[in-house]
Amino acid sequence: MVTSATLAVLAAIMPDLRLESTGGDSPTQVATTAALGAGAFGVLSALVWPLLVRALLLVPALVLGALVFFLNGSLLLVALSLTPHGRGEVTPATAVVIAAVMSAASSATSTALAVRDDAAYGRRLARLAGRRRHHADDPPLPTTPGTVFLQLDGVGHEVMRDALTGVPPVMPGVASWLDGTHRLAAWRTDWSSQTGASQLGILHGTNHDVPAFRWYEKETGQVMVCNRPSSAAELERRAVRRTGCGGLLVDGGASRGNLFTGGAAQSALVMSVAARRAKFTRSRSGYFAYFSDPANAVRTAWSFAAEVVREVGESTAARLRRDRPRVKRGGLYPLLRAFATVVERDVAVAAVIGDMLAGRAAVYADLVAYDEVAHHSGPRSRDARKVLARLDRSIRLIADSSRYAPRPYRIVLLSDHGQSAGETFESAYGTGLRELVRTGCGLTEPAGATRPRRPARRGGGAEARGAARTALRRPERGRRAAEEAECDGPPSEPVVLASGNLGLVTFPDIAGRATLEEVERRCPDLLPTLTAHPGIGFVLVRSATRGPVVLGACGSHELATGRVTGADPLAPFGPGAVAAVLRTDAFPHAADLMVNSSCDQATGRVHAFEEQAGSHGGLGGPQTDPFLLHPADLPLPPHPLLGAEAVHRLFHGWLAAPPEAEAPRSGTARPVPVPQDAADSGTCPRPAPLLSPRCPAEDAPPPLAVHPGPFSPAE
């Protein structure tokens, strides 16, 4: 009825749309024609649309989103042509607009009608996920609880705590869980505090030999980048080979929007799967599941456009306020932000709901919206807080949908790292890390010489940028060091790469890891230039005689013996810094020089070697303290969680341990008790033990009681 009325109103105000004969018709006849046209459009959308989307699944996902309007318009043209006596007539251009308005009106009406009707709301969620009917010959529905892991990318422990306890709270839905059934805790990342290392460790049990977000491998002459499909696939293969098992999700799990599969049989929007050219449709199956509903496609398209406008307004306001730190937010960034905060979010949420309604045992999904915005606006900016508020609504939708699932669900929220604010290295000191390294190597150009290409300004949102390129099916770039590091000099020149406030310097022509003595012979001024710079906190280098050595402006720290000369350069980075740096030094692909920016102990501010207002990737500030919000009955070990591998062991114990009692079937995801000794057991068999050093117990923050409150469809 609403779509019929919408069509009739549009016919009255748009000259290119006609619903009556040339001689005119009565209002009743016009209404009948509108109803017939709207009905035909609805039938075609229900029957033909899914076939069209599946046929066009070979098209890049974002192109498919743009085609939504034209396909909808084509269906409307066909629908109006079916009206009797040729009363329905519209121009193709107008059909596109009218179809979009009708779909939006239908979506808004169905949502409004179902807002207080649990049964209607459940049917809407079931249709969204494409749940099939249960037949008599189907296996029995599971009664043991499933687990949903929702990763809020880049949300640090302090940011999450403030979002839950502020007045008013930024995330009121999650904050309403505060009555004891959930708890908020922190865990500590490895030195490489970024999604690639953390998520590989969590999903596959090891992040060995992942020294940074991007690094150079001398034996192949290529740069590995965690969000590149071929690199992600190779890292997953290495992890499976090292641990001897498929991953956290190998038993009936699903991976959504991640860099790695975790061994899940069901994977959508996963970077490592996108490298499988023969199965590329599988990596984008989430787009089909979502865009097969034209109302979803139109709603997301409108939200996408609104997010672009919102970013333009927010960046203009930040510039007028002279916010600091500030990075450039022009070019394609508004589109990239809208993709991360709208398209990826909506598709991932729909996929998770579908997994729950299908009764999958475990689901791990990554929501990258906050990380993308915080990179450009800052981790505590008002722009980032608004994103958290919108994520809160998505979490509430997922929690509410559990009441329609065939099994109870436990919901675990976590992050892979935090973010540290601060001026970029180049903005603060007028030079980039690459220029500083070249100066220390005596590679400055003589007068009149052609200046080499400047390094590309790397904005934030590496995860979202990689996902967008994969959705567009763009070819990989930057495999060679000359492309990734923007260095087209001779092989003797060092390759300089950046991962947030962690820099990597590699000499390609030196076989194996370059030693301290070799670096001093080749470039005697390089290490003094780096360590004396106020923006550099410390430099890790391997000595042929003393082993791994950390150098600072006023002292050194020999990691093998613990001997400290002068001021300890690792002291400003906390008690866990020594163990984290020593572990990374043992990686086969650790760079010749690992350079960490300085950190203000009072504010936690660091200097990113990339163009980022909020950064992560190294040590210093909140970036190494992500959060874990878990049901209280899923126990934590008595010691603090140090490293992503420790989180994997914890999660594996939760999934492997049988529940003591069946969880109650209700609208919320209720926690189920797990034996205490299961928290550290049940990990995949490994050819060698993977141990994480423990940090002092006093570093663990006090827990915060949280629980999943009852969310009604009205809320």
Side-chain angles (χ1 to χ4, degrees):
M1 293 174 59
V2 170
T3 52
S4 299
T6 302
L7 186 60
V9 171
L10 291 174
I13 62 178
M14 301 189 71
D16 294 333
L17 172 62
R18 181 174 58 83
L19 295 178
E20 55 185 345
S21 61
T22 54
D25 285 325
S26 65
T28 302
Q29 184 61 52
V30 172
T32 302
T33 303
L36 291 173
F41 179 66
V43 171
L44 289 173
S45 296
L47 299 180
V48 179
W49 181 267
L51 301 178
L52 289 176
V53 174
R54 185 173 292 279
L56 292 171
L57 196 57
L58 298 178
V59 176
L62 293 184
V63 177
L64 173 62
L67 286 175
V68 163
F69 294 98
F70 300 101
L71 294 176
N72 246 353
S74 300
L75 292 180
L76 182 62
L77 283 172
V78 175
L80 291 180
S81 69
L82 299 177
T83 56
H85 308 297
R87 285 185 167 86
E89 184 178 337
V90 65
T91 61
T94 305
V96 173
V97 177
I98 293 174
V101 174
M102 290 175 64
S103 295
S106 174
S107 175
T109 304
S110 62
T111 302
L113 291 175
V115 73
R116 293 188 181 277
D117 185 342
D118 285 0
Y121 189 71
R123 289 193 298 271
R124 173 67 180 171
L125 292 175
R127 185 166 69 87
L128 178 69
R131 183 178 62 176
R132 66 184 181 91
R133 296 181 182 273
H134 188 73
H135 300 285
D137 56 347
D138 287 343
L141 294 175
T143 58
T144 57
T147 306
V148 175
F149 300 97
L150 295 179
Q151 177 179 299
L152 307 187
D153 205 300
V155 181
H157 174 257
E158 292 182 359
V159 171
M160 187 64 176
R161 182 190 61 198
D162 294 345
L164 298 180
T165 60
V167 182
V170 176
M171 304 179 72
V174 179
S176 66
W177 299 3
L178 297 171
D179 77 345
T181 61
H182 268 62
R183 294 192 182 278
L184 180 68
W187 64 278
R188 187 169 296 172
T189 68
D190 304 283
W191 186 3
S192 182
S193 54
Q194 47 89 18
T195 303
S198 294
Q199 200 175 87
L200 186 65
I202 293 172
L203 290 178
H204 288 280
T206 178
N207 56 13
H208 178 78
D209 204 18
V210 182
F213 183 77
R214 54 178 67 85
W215 67 94
Y216 178 76
E217 298 194 345
K218 293 184 179 181
E219 64 270 24
T220 62
Q222 292 189 354
V223 176
M224 296 285 287
V225 185
C226 289
N227 74 327
R228 179 179 297 152
S230 61
S231 296
E234 174 61 23
L235 291 176
E236 187 170 318
R237 283 193 294 268
R238 294 177 184 179
V240 171
R241 184 169 62 247
R242 179 174 175 82
T243 61
C245 81
L248 182 70
L249 307 174
V250 73
D251 294 325
S255 178
R256 308 301 185 188
N258 301 312
L259 296 180
F260 311 103
T261 66
Q266 299 291 329
S267 297
L269 318 179
V270 175
M271 197 64 66
S272 63
V273 176
R276 304 174 192 173
R277 297 300 180 186
K279 300 180 180 180
F280 66 90
T281 55
R282 191 173 164 214
S283 69
R284 295 205 305 276
S285 60
Y287 289 109
F288 165 74
Y290 186 77
F291 286 119
S292 60
D293 186 337
N296 293 336
V298 172
R299 182 172 58 253
T300 296
W302 285 116
S303 299
F304 185 95
E307 187 70 13
V308 171
V309 175
R310 182 181 293 114
E311 161 56 24
V312 173
E314 290 177 350
S315 62
T316 302
R319 191 163 53 250
L320 294 176
R321 292 193 303 264
R322 300 183 180 275
D323 289 350
R324 304 294 297 183
R326 187 171 69 250
V327 299
K328 293 183 177 179
R329 295 163 61 174
L332 294 176
Y333 171 68
L335 299 177
L336 180 64
R337 166 176 164 165
F339 176 81
T341 58
V342 175
V343 179
E344 281 197 288
R345 178 201 64 199
D346 289 353
V347 173
V349 168
V352 171
I353 292 175
D355 291 327
M356 297 174 71
L357 296 179
R360 307 204 193 284
V363 184
Y364 195 104
D366 186 10
L367 303 176
V368 302
Y370 171 86
D371 190 63
E372 171 62 34
V373 174
H375 272 308
H376 290 78
S377 303
R380 290 187 173 274
S381 64
R382 62 184 70 185
D383 301 352
R385 289 197 299 271
K386 293 177 182 177
V387 173
L388 287 177
R390 291 193 288 272
L391 285 176
D392 180 71
R393 292 195 291 270
S394 297
I395 295 169
R396 288 201 293 174
L397 176 61
I398 292 173
D400 185 69
S401 68
S402 67
R403 73 178 63 187
Y404 306 106
R407 69 193 304 169
Y409 274 94
R410 309 171 296 198
I411 296 181
V412 177
L413 303 184
L414 74 150
S415 58
D416 49 347
H417 54 77
Q419 284 207 19
S420 299
E423 290 280 351
T424 67
F425 188 83
E426 185 172 0
S427 174
Y429 300 105
T431 185
L433 178 62
R434 179 173 177 266
E435 285 76 12
L436 188 64
V437 170
R438 289 180 60 83
T439 300
C441 292
L443 295 175
T444 53
E445 290 73 35
T450 303
R451 180 179 177 85
R453 289 185 297 162
R454 286 178 56 84
R457 287 185 176 270
R458 296 192 182 280
E463 295 89 348
R465 193 178 302 273
R469 290 185 62 84
T470 301
L472 288 169
R473 296 185 66 194
R474 301 294 299 165
E476 291 185 358
R477 63 180 180 182
R479 281 191 172 189
R480 295 185 297 107
E483 297 171 344
E484 182 69 29
E486 299 291 344
C487 174
D488 44 9
S492 60
E493 290 195 9
V495 175
V496 182
L497 301 171
S499 177
N501 73 317
L502 176 63
L504 294 85
V505 182
T506 305
F507 296 92
D509 60 331
I510 298 179
R513 180 110 172 252
T515 65
L516 169 65
E517 292 77 11
E518 288 175 309
V519 173
E520 288 179 335
R521 283 195 299 268
R522 171 180 285 203
C523 306
D525 295 330
L526 177 57
L527 290 173
T529 298
L530 292 175
T531 57
H533 196 283
I536 302 296
F538 65 87
V539 178
L540 170 67
V541 61
R542 175 70 68 84
S543 170
T545 58
R546 296 183 290 163
V549 180
V550 175
L551 304 175
C554 303
S556 64
H557 188 141
E558 297 180 15
L559 298 179
T561 63
R563 179 184 177 186
V564 176
T565 302
D568 186 357
L570 292 178
F573 298 91
V578 174
V581 174
L582 182 60
R583 178 176 184 266
T584 302
D585 174 78
F587 291 171
H589 291 108
D592 296 335
L593 303 179
M594 302 282 291
V595 184
N596 202 99
S597 84
S598 60
C599 174
D600 188 317
Q601 290 182 271
T603 63
R605 292 182 173 270
V606 300
H607 300 296
F609 299 122
E610 304 178 86
E611 188 76 1
Q612 298 174 345
S615 67
H616 56 88
L619 292 176
Q623 63 182 312
T624 55
D625 295 319
F627 79 91
L628 175 61
L629 182 65
H630 65 99
D633 292 333
L634 293 178
L636 292 180
H639 48 72
L641 290 170
L642 180 57
E645 294 175 2
V647 178
H648 169 84
R649 291 192 289 271
L650 175 69
F651 288 176
H652 196 288
W654 288 353
L655 296 179
E660 292 181 355
E662 180 179 342
R665 298 303 307 277
S666 66
T668 59
R670 303 292 297 178
V672 175
V674 175
Q676 176 67 39
D677 57 1
D680 289 323
S681 64
T683 55
C684 297
R686 293 178 172 83
L690 298 174
L691 301 179
S692 294
R694 307 300 182 190
C695 58
E698 56 267 21
D699 291 340
L704 176 66
V706 192
H707 89 104
F711 300 115
S712 68
E715 291 175 311

